[in-house]
Amino acid sequence: MFKNFIFLFLIISHLFFQTFTFSNPQRMATDLEIIKNEFEIYYAPAEWKKKLFNWSLEAAIEHAKQEIREKPINLQQYQQILRDLFNSTQDLHVGVSFYSTEFAILPFLVQGVDQRYFVVWIDEEWKKMQGVPLEKGDEILAFDGRSAAEIIREIHRASYGFCDAESYHRLSEMLLTLREGNCINNVPQGTTEVLYKKPHQENPETCLVEWYYVPEEIENEFPGIKNPFRSTLAESPIFHRCRALPLFTRLKSYAKNYETQLLGGKKSLFPPLGEILWKSNSPEFEAYIYSLKGCKSVGYIRISDFMGGRHEVDQFRHLIAMMEASTHALIIDVMNNPGGFAFYTYALLSMLSDKPLMNLREKMAITQEEIFLCLEDMQLLEEVTTDHEAKGLIGEDICGFNVDKQFVNCVLKHARFIKDQFKKGKYLTDLYPLEGLEYIYPNPKTHYTKPLLVLVNSLSISCADLFPAILQENKRAKILGTRSAGAGGYVLAKKYSNRFGVADFTLTGSIISRANGDPLENLGVSPDFPYTFSAEDYTQNFSGFVEYLNRIMYYYK
């Protein structure tokens, strides 16, 4: 009897294991059809991706189906197939999240050049408590005997597939010390032996570090999605379209330190650019004025992200007033900026010119939902006749951008445009100014009128693509650094019922074009003054970069 019970138990256990380890290919294929439908309806850059990469949704879906037909696969393998499907678009706004919220952190970050990786930030408190000898500028050679380059390639493959743009390499470097169950199957625990080399030393050294590990404890939701049935007009999705890297919203959940370091970091990677004459105490912006060879006063402001509101805009206005009164030129740093919201971006841009700035234009994917929202907005906004009424209906501002009758007229015109496009049978609109604003008008109180230089790199993403693009298009600023990320549209977050652990996924709902007709997507903003960080920059406190930047600023007029 006991033997029969054991035999029955083994059979049931085997069937249970088969059910949960090897999923039904037919159900997976159905799952892929649901995803395909969402892409067909909402993915605005599809034609551009076909032109640039010969990408086809049909081919990408068929490739995924072929993988599930070839052999039995488990849940983790299917999730990797989904990652690869979304990554095939080579779109930083597109991705899939799973309910695995497991992650592990080592509180230091690296960046690399020529497959050499250097510490660019380390948590000093952790370093002191753990007795870790690592410092900024140290080169990381290996983890547990495996080269850093090999591990980063493995992370890149799992997280971003075969996407080869520099932005994906930079994000993979960041994930060397921040491992998500979302992106990889084996999240490390316990201690790791780090092989590293200090600058100007021949022989490498080793140290032991312990991962901070969290098993399934944090909610893993993308917060950009809004409920279309809102209680006030100010909550309309039209005013809060997210233009940011979805990964960043997760990073802010993992550890407080990751809100203020590297991606979205409040402080710059490099040291002060010269002798400081004045320094701000603003908690939101690193800002100072420095002396350039004793003959010029140059301002510096770091914008860490574009997710602020009225409070941050007020702080920025005070800084700009100071810079206008006390400097000969100004540097704005949007390196390692994950993006945010367009209206906050416009609020800051309005203070950087004394002339109107022409906005970029975009095509938008539209459905009956967008028409419903537009009709709701139109019914309310058509009654507005004064600035006071506009503020009473919407609020004083949207993400710090001033609300007035002129703003309402732009929103109304935008809503009518979308309604008319749908009546014409278009599901992807013609080009129209972003958020309905053809021009970004100068702030009535404060604006900067002197030479302006913007710093960008491959982690200047979404709104941090938009910000330098608008300034460059309007010939208001020169750009220095490497090409920006090229995330040119707004983010749509989608959910559906499934049995494969899919929490949600994100698509790009619009595609931005520049004045010459080129999309911002994938192409980004090319610098007027190209500069790529070298190994010497990482090991010598960015002295080469600082020298180059100051040489440009010395002659910049």
Side-chain angles (χ1 to χ4, degrees):
M1 180 69 181
F2 181 72
K3 287 182 179 180
N4 289 339
F5 174 79
I6 292 295
F7 180 70
L8 181 61
F9 174 78
L10 289 173
I11 291 175
I12 293 172
S13 298
H14 177 73
L15 291 173
F16 181 87
F17 179 83
Q18 290 291 323
T19 301
F20 284 88
T21 303
F22 299 106
S23 300
N24 187 329
Q26 186 175 356
R27 187 178 290 277
M28 289 177 179
T30 302
D31 192 63
L32 289 170
E33 285 297 320
I34 293 169
I35 293 169
K36 178 185 176 184
N37 182 63
E38 293 294 318
F39 264 97
E40 288 174 337
I41 292 171
Y42 288 107
Y43 190 53
E47 286 301 314
W48 166 243
K49 300 295 181 175
K50 181 177 179 62
K51 180 179 178 181
L52 187 64
F53 302 121
N54 197 31
W55 180 83
S56 158
L57 176 61
E58 288 285 348
I61 293 291
E62 182 53 37
H63 178 75
K65 287 181 177 179
Q66 182 62 33
E67 286 195 87
I68 64 178
R69 284 196 296 260
E70 283 179 352
K71 60 181 179 180
I73 58 172
N74 61 29
L75 180 60
Q76 287 185 334
Q77 289 168 328
Y78 178 63
Q79 289 180 348
Q80 187 61 55
I81 289 170
L82 288 182
R83 286 191 202 100
D84 291 343
L85 169 63
F86 282 84
N87 284 331
S88 71
T89 63
Q90 301 191 53
D91 187 328
L92 284 161
H93 284 152
V94 172
V96 59
S97 292
F98 301 102
Y99 281 113
S100 170
T101 57
E102 178 186 35
F103 73 91
I105 288 175
L106 291 175
F108 65 90
L109 295 164
V110 304
Q111 279 192 345
V113 58
D114 296 331
Q115 296 194 61
R116 296 176 64 194
Y117 301 96
F118 303 90
V119 177
V120 294
W121 169 79
I122 187 165
D123 186 319
E124 293 295 333
E125 184 177 341
W126 170 79
K127 173 184 164 182
K128 184 177 179 181
M129 287 179 61
Q130 299 291 326
V132 175
L134 294 175
E135 295 175 318
K136 283 177 66 175
D138 289 353
E139 182 176 358
I140 302 299
L141 302 173
F143 277 17
D144 288 332
R146 294 183 65 204
S147 74
E150 180 187 352
I151 297 171
I152 289 171
R153 280 196 300 271
E154 183 180 276
I155 291 169
H156 187 136
R157 173 64 189 90
S159 302
Y160 302 113
F162 298 102
C163 301
D164 198 41
E166 185 183 347
S167 303
Y168 295 102
H169 291 285
R170 290 298 183 201
L171 291 170
S172 300
E173 291 165 1
M174 187 173 67
L175 296 178
L176 174 67
T177 53
L178 198 166
R179 310 286 184 87
E180 292 187 286
N182 237 327
C183 300
I184 59 174
N185 292 334
N186 298 310
V187 175
Q189 302 180 45
T191 58
T192 289
E193 183 183 71
V194 178
L195 182 68
Y196 67 97
K197 188 162 76 72
K198 293 197 170 290
H200 314 301
Q201 281 189 0
E202 289 290 329
N203 298 320
E205 303 176 31
T206 62
C207 67
L208 289 178
V209 295
E210 185 166 358
W211 291 91
Y212 171 68
Y213 175 76
V214 174
E216 303 295 338
E217 290 182 1
I218 297 181
E219 220 176 290
N220 187 14
E221 298 289 335
F222 179 74
I225 195 165
K226 297 285 181 178
N227 182 354
F229 302 97
R230 75 281 185 185
S231 57
T232 68
L233 184 62
E235 296 172 5
S236 171
I238 291 172
F239 299 143
H240 298 281
R241 289 186 175 120
C242 188
R243 300 178 188 266
L245 180 72
L247 170 66
F248 183 67
T249 64
R250 298 203 301 270
L251 293 185
K252 293 175 73 174
S253 299
Y254 291 138
K256 185 70 175 175
N257 283 332
Y258 278 82
E259 290 188 46
T260 55
Q261 305 301 333
L262 200 58
L263 191 64
K266 300 295 184 185
K267 295 184 178 298
S268 65
L269 279 178
F270 44 86
L273 298 169
E275 179 189 353
I276 292 181
L277 305 175
W278 172 86
K279 187 173 183 178
S280 168
N281 60 3
S282 166
E284 302 300 332
F285 301 96
E286 181 185 8
Y288 56 84
I289 298 171
Y290 72 98
S291 174
L292 178 55
K293 298 186 177 181
C295 62
K296 265 188 176 181
S297 296
V298 178
Y300 170 90
I301 302 177
R302 166 141 182 82
I303 302 175
S304 60
D305 61 54
F306 289 102
M307 298 182 181
R310 186 190 307 175
H311 173 68
E312 289 79 8
V313 168
D314 286 342
Q315 288 189 36
F316 193 78
R317 183 162 47 243
H318 290 308
L319 292 175
I320 292 300
M322 181 68 179
M323 298 297 176
E324 176 69 14
S326 307
T327 65
H328 297 92
L330 176 61
I331 298 167
I332 300 285
D333 179 0
V334 295
M335 290 180 167
N336 304 331
N337 181 316
F341 296 97
F343 283 111
Y344 178 68
T345 307
Y346 301 153
L348 302 190
L349 283 168
S350 73
M351 291 180 257
L352 296 176
S353 175
D354 59 350
K355 298 179 178 63
L357 298 172
M358 182 175 285
N359 202 358
L360 302 189
R361 300 187 300 163
E362 68 183 347
K363 295 180 179 181
M364 298 164 283
I366 56 173
T367 66
Q368 287 86 347
E369 180 181 349
E370 282 70 40
I371 306 309
F372 174 79
L373 294 172
C374 287
L375 288 171
E376 276 198 324
D377 292 343
M378 288 169 64
Q379 289 172 3
L380 294 169
L381 295 174
E382 282 173 343
E383 304 299 322
V384 172
T385 59
T386 66
D387 291 350
H388 179 73
E389 288 177 354
K391 293 180 187 295
L393 186 62
I394 300 174
E396 289 290 325
D397 62 89
I398 299 292
C399 298
F401 185 81
N402 184 52
V403 169
D404 56 17
K405 179 65 168 66
Q406 183 182 45
F407 171 79
V408 167
N409 289 339
C410 291
V411 173
L412 271 173
K413 192 175 176 183
H414 190 214
R416 291 178 185 128
F417 167 77
I418 293 173
K419 177 184 171 186
D420 290 344
Q421 291 282 289
F422 194 78
K423 277 188 174 180
K424 292 176 181 177
K426 294 185 177 182
Y427 296 105
L428 183 68
T429 69
D430 296 333
L431 287 170
Y432 199 81
L434 274 70
E435 269 67 47
L437 302 184
E438 187 173 2
Y439 290 96
I440 301 154
Y441 291 96
N443 184 285
K445 297 179 181 178
T446 309
H447 43 257
Y448 193 77
T449 61
K450 299 169 186 179
L452 186 63
L453 185 78
V454 179
L455 306 181
V456 302
N457 66 1
S458 59
L459 290 180
S460 300
I461 300 170
S462 205
C463 276
D465 285 296
L466 179 63
F467 180 89
I470 290 173
L471 292 170
Q472 191 179 61
E473 290 281 358
N474 287 272
K475 296 180 169 49
R476 176 61 190 100
K478 296 289 187 182
I479 314 299
L480 186 148
T482 59
R483 192 178 71 177
S484 68
Y490 56 73
V491 182
L492 297 172
K494 299 293 177 182
K495 296 178 77 74
Y496 70 103
S497 299
N498 65 93
R499 292 179 177 173
F500 301 110
V502 177
D504 53 33
F505 60 88
T506 54
L507 300 175
T508 306
S510 68
I511 181 163
I512 298 172
S513 285
R514 301 192 66 173
N516 65 0
D518 285 344
L520 191 59
E521 178 71 19
N522 295 111
L523 302 183
V525 177
S526 295
D528 301 290
F529 305 109
Y531 188 93
T532 302
F533 289 146
S534 65
E536 288 72 26
D537 279 316
Y538 290 119
T539 57
Q540 297 174 20
N541 205 21
F542 299 94
S543 59
F545 171 74
V546 171
E547 181 183 349
Y548 177 78
L549 175 54
N550 279 331
R551 187 162 66 247
I552 296 295
M553 293 307 297
Y554 184 78
Y555 294 104
Y556 186 39
K557 295 181 180 179

